[in-house]
Amino acid sequence: MNNFDLKQQLVEWRHHLHKYPETAFEEVKTSAYIAQELKNMGLDVHENIGGTGVVANLVVGDGKGVIGLRADMDALNLTEVKELSYRSLHQGKMHACGHDGHMTTLLGAAKLLSATKNFNGTVRFIFQPAEEIGKGAIAMMEDQLFERFPVDEIYGLHNMPGLPVGTIQTRPGPIMASEDNFVIRIKGKGCHASSPHMGIDPLVIAAEIILALQTIVARNVNPNDTAVVSCTEIHTDGIRNAIPSNVEIKGDTRSFTPEVQKLLEERMRSICEGICAMHGAECEFEYTHEFSPTINEASCTEAAIEAAKNIVGNDKTNGNCEPFMASEDFAKFLEKVPGCFVFLGGKVENEEIIPLHNALYDYNDSILETGAEFFAEVVKLRLGGN
Ligand SMILES: [Zn+2]
Ligand SMILES: [Zn+2]
């Protein structure tokens, strides 16, 4: 297959996947399509792993090394705005995070590697469901992903419409943040708005809590570490002339290490419980871990940087990029096996940046081949190609 054919094939795959977006754990048509394409390449394909997950194995020679390459498959509950010839045919759903491009990139890597076979060992192409809700990686692992299909290392990428087109950027250590969610329920005592002395006002307590939570990042987190605590919703059961009995505050936190994650949870709990106790209100504090921090292993990151330089050149490779505060389900795989996650720039010069999760978003087709070649190069470097 020459380069022109590969490009055409990639665009065809991507536009097909874009037309039929499916959300978390419902990637039925998507995974069937991917499995069929992988079978067409002669790969050993396994379906329904962790729900709709797909794994395809490509074994060349007798090398013992095993590399995992991963793409995510799910779309978002957004209505596509752009008038594309291949626009979403699933009402209210669209590929606004570019996972259509990620799947295509991984199919492209499978196509390249099954044609060149320029390595000695095993490559596993892993297509995971439900990245957006942070549940797909765990679902696959709970379904014995790594027991059935062990890997030594794993690699993944995410397109970034704000980074210059064709650049590959990564860094050793933390590259994407953890996400934890919290709900604070304050139970006071409702009363007439004119008689506050008859009740316990949970709204005043909530105000105090919201402000006090902002001292955690400022006063408890080491200034060399990064963290965000954001209260994003507040609900009361009051009416205009009644002080409510209950207030609920919701929000999320981000950080880059399990230690900071733990510190945030502990400090938040003491602040909420302390302030409520001080005012004679009851407090219920709920804290859940949604995403782990994405932490790149050093030697895998070095390999990814070398692969990037070989494919896009030194000037388009950044081996020490800034981390992103957003979160990524790939982190869960990295807790089990070493690996590296990279960003692939998609920003078109002189054009307005349409961010991820925007209803106008569309993957930049010109970076599909770059991503596929990057993955293939990682395999060549790690499994001793020639
Ligand atoms: Zn997303
Ligand atoms: Zn995404």
Side-chain angles (χ1 to χ4, degrees):
M1 166 172 271
N2 64 38
N3 279 1
F4 177 76
D5 289 339
L6 178 65
K7 260 185 200 156
Q8 278 230 321
Q9 173 70 83
L10 289 168
V11 170
E12 200 179 291
W13 277 329
R14 217 274 293 175
H15 292 187
H16 177 90
L17 291 164
H18 190 87
K19 259 192 204 172
Y20 304 101
E22 294 170 303
T23 46
F25 292 122
E26 290 171 3
E27 305 93 338
V28 176
K29 285 185 202 167
T30 305
S31 58
Y33 180 78
I34 283 170
Q36 189 55 53
E37 292 300 319
L38 292 164
K39 283 176 195 163
N40 293 348
M41 294 175 207
L43 272 62
D44 163 43
V45 181
H46 301 259
E47 294 173 71
N48 306 317
I49 300 164
T52 47
V54 177
V55 175
N57 301 307
L58 175 61
V59 183
V60 174
D62 56 3
K64 294 277 168 278
V66 186
I67 299 289
L69 302 173
R70 169 275 202 180
D72 39 14
M73 302 191 289
D74 53 329
L76 290 157
N77 286 307
L78 284 170
T79 301
E80 182 157 40
V81 174
K82 212 170 177 180
E83 288 292 337
L84 299 165
S85 59
Y86 50 92
R87 71 177 296 172
S88 166
L89 297 179
H90 290 170
Q91 186 58 32
K93 295 179 194 291
M94 74 172 287
H95 273 295
C97 202
H99 298 183
D100 51 344
H102 301 164
M103 292 184 272
T104 303
T105 300
L106 197 50
L107 283 174
K111 188 96 189 167
L112 280 172
L113 288 164
S114 54
T116 60
K117 294 193 162 70
N118 61 352
F119 64 95
N120 185 22
T122 300
V123 185
R124 304 199 198 282
F125 302 91
I126 302 168
F127 293 82
Q128 81 148 85
E131 188 285 324
E132 292 290 351
I133 59 167
K135 304 262 184 282
I138 278 284
M140 287 190 89
M141 289 192 289
E142 283 176 351
D143 204 5
Q144 311 298 308
L145 171 69
F146 291 135
E147 287 76 14
R148 292 167 68 189
F149 308 107
V151 301
D152 301 326
E153 298 170 3
I154 191 164
Y155 296 83
L157 65 76
H158 207 293
N159 76 104
M160 285 293 169
L163 298 178
V165 68
T167 57
I168 295 178
Q169 313 208 15
T170 188
R171 72 192 304 279
I175 186 163
M176 294 189 79
S178 67
E179 180 186 340
D180 293 339
N181 290 169
F182 60 84
V183 183
I184 305 158
R185 294 189 190 88
I186 306 160
K187 192 169 170 11
K189 186 178 173 190
C191 59
H192 198 283
S194 66
S195 315
H197 62 292
M198 303 290 288
I200 298 170
D201 187 347
L203 237 145
V204 172
I205 300 169
E208 209 170 321
I209 286 176
I210 291 167
L211 288 176
L213 291 181
Q214 293 310 315
T215 64
I216 299 174
V217 174
R219 302 289 85 175
N220 302 131
V221 174
N222 183 326
N224 292 314
D225 289 326
T226 309
V228 178
V229 175
S230 293
C231 295
T232 53
E233 293 177 60
I234 180 160
H235 303 277
T236 86
D237 61 354
I239 51 172
R240 194 184 49 77
N241 59 358
I243 288 170
S245 291
N246 296 288
V247 171
E248 195 176 77
I249 305 166
K250 291 184 180 176
D252 85 21
T253 73
R254 310 280 168 142
S255 58
F256 286 110
T257 67
E259 294 74 29
V260 175
Q261 211 175 358
K262 192 158 167 267
L263 174 76
L264 296 179
E265 178 175 359
E266 285 171 0
R267 286 300 299 137
M268 288 184 71
R269 188 183 298 280
S270 333
I271 286 173
C272 294
E273 289 176 353
I275 291 176
C276 283
M278 186 168 83
H279 292 285
E282 281 172 40
C283 180
E284 206 182 288
F285 181 73
E286 196 180 298
Y287 195 89
T288 50
H289 302 286
E290 306 297 325
F291 288 88
S292 302
T294 305
I295 300 172
N296 283 337
E297 193 271 341
S299 75
C300 296
T301 308
E302 260 173 52
I305 293 168
E306 197 185 336
K309 284 179 179 167
N310 293 349
I311 299 303
V312 297
N314 285 0
D315 55 329
K316 285 192 166 181
T317 302
N318 181 354
N320 195 21
C321 70
E322 272 187 26
F324 271 61
M325 286 316 287
S327 308
E328 168 58 58
D329 198 24
F330 187 71
K332 294 271 179 14
F333 292 133
L334 290 180
E335 288 180 336
K336 286 278 174 288
V337 282
C340 179
F341 194 66
V342 310
F343 302 138
L344 175 58
K347 180 184 182 313
V348 186
E349 229 175 306
N350 303 322
E351 268 186 32
E352 189 198 345
I353 298 169
I354 306 295
L356 298 172
H357 292 206
N358 183 299
L360 279 167
Y361 188 69
D362 186 35
Y363 200 91
N364 183 340
D365 283 330
S366 80
I367 60 173
L368 291 169
E369 203 181 3
T370 313
E373 285 175 348
F374 163 74
F375 274 146
E377 186 68 15
V378 168
V379 169
K380 193 177 134 191
L381 289 176
R382 293 312 253 181
L383 298 182
N386 41 55

